[in-house]
Structure formats: structure tokens, C-alpha cells
Amino acid sequence: MDVSGLGYLDPGTPTEGADAARTGFAIAFGYQPDLVGRAPGRVNLVGEHTDYNRGLSLPIALPHATYAAVGRRTDERVRIASARSGEVWESPLDELGPEQPTGWWSYVSGVLWAMQQPDQDEPPVTAPGVDIFIHSTVPLGSGLSSSAALEAAVAVAVWALAGQNGYEEDRARLVELCVRAETEVADAPTGGLDQAAALLSAPGQALLIDFDESSAFDVDLHLVDHGLELLVVDSGVSHALVDGGYGSRRAECERASAELGLASLRLATLADAGRLDEPLQRRVRHVVTEIARVNQAVAAIDARDYVGLGAIFVASHASLRDDFEVSCPELDAIVDRAVSLGALGARMTGGGFGGSAVVLVESERTGAVSLGIAAAFRDAGWAPPRFLRVTTSEPAGLV
Ligand code: GLA
């Protein structure tokens, strides 16, 4: 079968990514960087729109990653440049924060700002003046968490540059810093899933995150041993978390828990959902059933029941499409075509309103499924989707 024309998106190796970041840094700033941080994108296997409801999620870290080359400056300024944009953004350190104009660089400057904020348990860390160059193989706006990869790559590098040598022990704090950067400086009202996935995942494992207890556990995946793989399909419909759709779903969930008199929808039941008007009724039904599906997925993985896991993917997609209403025709087409071509399961992943779907498939069928999805897009007159064959990878760290 000729799948060569599909062009699976190559993540490259960490060494290649770090070299590209170092070279870009030297060209942009005229000297060699001190350190390179790397952080992975993520694909969430199940547990969507549950993080800000204090629920459960089950992401994996992708081999596609963002690299931040950083160099210490002798003054109190920050300069930020990237392989994707020709401009260099520059600011004094003490002018960073929620008031500054937003743009892609605010995910970076937000981390420097967040480090310096008082934390209830820990003293603030003085961010050094730095030059930062970004190189990334995570596709942008594809629901694969390019923003959190950017924040986490910068966080691990600048944390080390600031002399915080024990960043392995500081990962939970770095998750918090990255969340503050995203929600308070970049102004995206997201829920913490992406930052936890980037900083806490382990190779070979999915990460079971409990947002009520702020805890995370590794779940052994064993996909390769069973001849299976995960195929990610980027619909090409761009999603933006700073647009209104994501925020309005979050606001609906907050309204529902207030009407029910609950601290969060983690405590809600299907009977509670039934007491609400539409659309809140369906929103709560999604959250309650999706949290249950995360537990079912972990049980299926533990029992090596991958047919069962695939069925959970499909049920999750239907719930996101019909009850939470965050899918789109392109994502529905990917899921329908993948399943009709024999994939074990498929679902949209991430915030929705575009972005990517994840397909659980026997490795020997990946080519046929990819070609079938590409053909469905052609027939519908849509731009070609992009494909990523994904394995799990290392969490954020220095390269
Ligand atoms: C985006 C957000 C996450 C999470 C997912 C949906 O990725 O950044 O916080 O809410 O959507 O599960």
C-alpha cells in the first residue's frame, strides 16, 4: 500500500530539536545559548473538558516537542524569538505580566512573570534576564497542546538557569507556573491538563490525572506489545482556546455546579443533570459520563482489553459531539471513517472546535485507515488532513 504521499509528521529526535534551537538562537542573538529545555505536546486519550471540573483525564506525552534555547543576559531584559516568526519580542523583566499585550510570546513571558509571583508555600524565584529562541515540532492550533509545550520547555530551562537545580522535585510547582502563565498572562481560560501532561508524563505510560486531589499516576499502556498504535489526525480546522467557545463551555459548567449547589461537577450525578434545563443538562451529562469513562479506560488498559478501550473512545466522541457540542464535521468524519475501516476506536482530542482526533488502530491497518481518512476529506472538498504516528515520550526536561 502506498502511504508515502501522506507524509506522517516527523517529530525528529531530541538531539535534532535541540540542535535546531541552538542554531536558531546563535543566528538570532549572535552567541551560544547556555541551556536547551524540551517539552512534549500531548494527546489526551480520554477525559475531555473534565480538568476544570475537578475530574479525571488520561493523556500521553507526544514525541513531537518544543525546544527552548536560553542564554543568560547581564541586564534585566528578555528577548524572545522563534523559528516560525521573524520578529524578536523584547521587554524589561519588570514590565512582564497580565497587563502586557498578548501574542504567542506571552506564553513565554508569562512563565518568567509567574516564577516571580509570591506562592502560598514557596518563595518567588528571581527570573534572570534571558534571551530565548523557540523551535517546535508540535503542530500549532491542532489541539495537541503546543502552548503548554512552549510554557514547559521555557519553564524547565529558565528554572535551571535561575539556579533551581532540583527541578525534578519541582515539577508540580512548574505545572502551576505554566498554568498561571496561560490563564493570567496569555488569557486562555484552560484547566491544567496540558501543563500536567507536559511535565509529569512518563515514556510507555498514560498519565491518570485526578484534578480534585491534584495527583497523577502512571498507567502502563503496552500498545506496541499488542500490535497496536495511536494515530493522530490533525483536521486542519484551527482551534483557538482564547476564542469564545471553550470559555463558554467552561462558564456553562460553572453555572451548572452553582445551580446544583456543588463545589464542582466532580460531585455531580446523572440524576443531578436531569434536574437542569438545556443545554446545562447535556453539558453535565457529558462531564459525569466522561469522568466515568476515564475510570473504565484505565480498567480496560489494565485488563489489556483494547477492544473495550476503543469502544470507550467512540462513546467519548459521541458525548463530546452530542452533549458537549464541541466537535465539527471534519472531526466526526475522521472518527466515522476510522471506525468503518476497522480501527478499534477514535475520538476527537483536546478542547475541540477543530484540532485533532486520536485513533486506536492495529499497526498493520494504520496505512489503510490513513488513506481512507485522506480520501474522505478529498471527497468532501476539504484541505488534506495531517497525520502523526505517535508513541509516548519523555516529559519536559533539559536536553
Ligand atoms: C484544552 C485545555 C485543557 C482541557 C482540554 C479539554 O486542551 O487546554 O485544559 O480543558 O482542552 O479537555
Side-chain angles (χ1 to χ4, degrees), residues 42 44 47-49 51-52 182 190-194 241 246 350-351:
R42 63 100 189 88
N44 192 19
E48 223 64 87
H49 289 275
D51 56 353
Y52 54 81
E182 179 148 332
T190 54
L193 157 66
D194 309 337
L241 296 170
Y246 182 92

Side-chain angles (χ1 to χ4, degrees), residues 42 44 46-53 56-57 143-145 147-148 182 188-195 211 239 241 246 250 286 290 320 324 326 347-352:
R42 63 100 189 88
N44 192 19
V46 66
E48 223 64 87
H49 289 275
T50 48
D51 56 353
Y52 54 81
N53 291 304
L56 305 171
S57 296
L144 301 176
S145 201
S147 324
E182 179 148 332
T190 54
L193 157 66
D194 309 337
Q195 293 76 13
F211 293 94
H239 89 143
L241 296 170
Y246 182 92
R250 184 169 178 156
H286 166 72
E290 185 77 352
L320 286 156
F324 217 65
V326 291
R347 59 182 288 279
M348 57 152 278
T349 184

Side-chain angles (χ1 to χ4, degrees), residues 152-178:
V154 170
V156 293
V158 177
W159 198 247
L161 203 63
Q164 302 291 313
N165 292 328
Y167 77 80
E168 283 296 331
E169 292 77 50
D170 294 341
R171 285 179 180 272
R173 174 134 184 233
L174 294 184
V175 172
E176 289 306 317
L177 296 185
C178 293

Side-chain angles (χ1 to χ4, degrees), residues 195-327:
Q195 293 76 13
L199 281 147
L200 306 178
S201 299
Q205 317 281 326
L207 186 73
L208 172 60
I209 311 171
D210 185 327
F211 293 94
D212 198 35
E213 294 177 351
S214 294
S215 58
F217 305 92
D218 292 336
V219 178
D220 255 326
L221 264 180
H222 294 292
L223 292 182
V224 180
D225 308 346
H226 290 78
L228 298 171
E229 74 175 306
L230 293 165
L231 171 71
V232 170
V233 188
D234 173 7
S235 69
V237 179
S238 81
H239 89 143
L241 296 170
V242 283
D243 288 350
Y246 182 92
S248 90
R249 289 298 179 279
R250 184 169 178 156
E252 285 170 341
C253 290
E254 282 160 9
R255 220 165 67 227
S257 58
E259 281 185 28
L260 292 167
L262 299 173
S264 74
L265 291 185
R266 177 66 178 273
L267 303 167
T269 62
L270 284 178
D272 290 331
R275 297 211 306 273
L276 295 166
D277 292 334
E278 289 294 7
L280 298 192
Q281 182 171 132
R282 274 176 299 140
R283 306 296 187 249
V284 175
R285 191 161 64 210
H286 166 72
V287 174
V288 171
T289 58
E290 185 77 352
I291 292 171
R293 278 187 289 271
V294 176
N295 283 320
Q296 291 159 10
V298 172
I301 293 169
D302 284 347
R304 312 281 185 266
D305 173 14
Y306 297 106
V307 172
L309 181 63
I312 293 165
F313 274 32
V314 172
S316 169
H317 185 79
S319 178
L320 286 156
R321 182 191 60 210
D322 302 336
D323 282 350
F324 217 65
E325 294 182 288
V326 291
S327 187

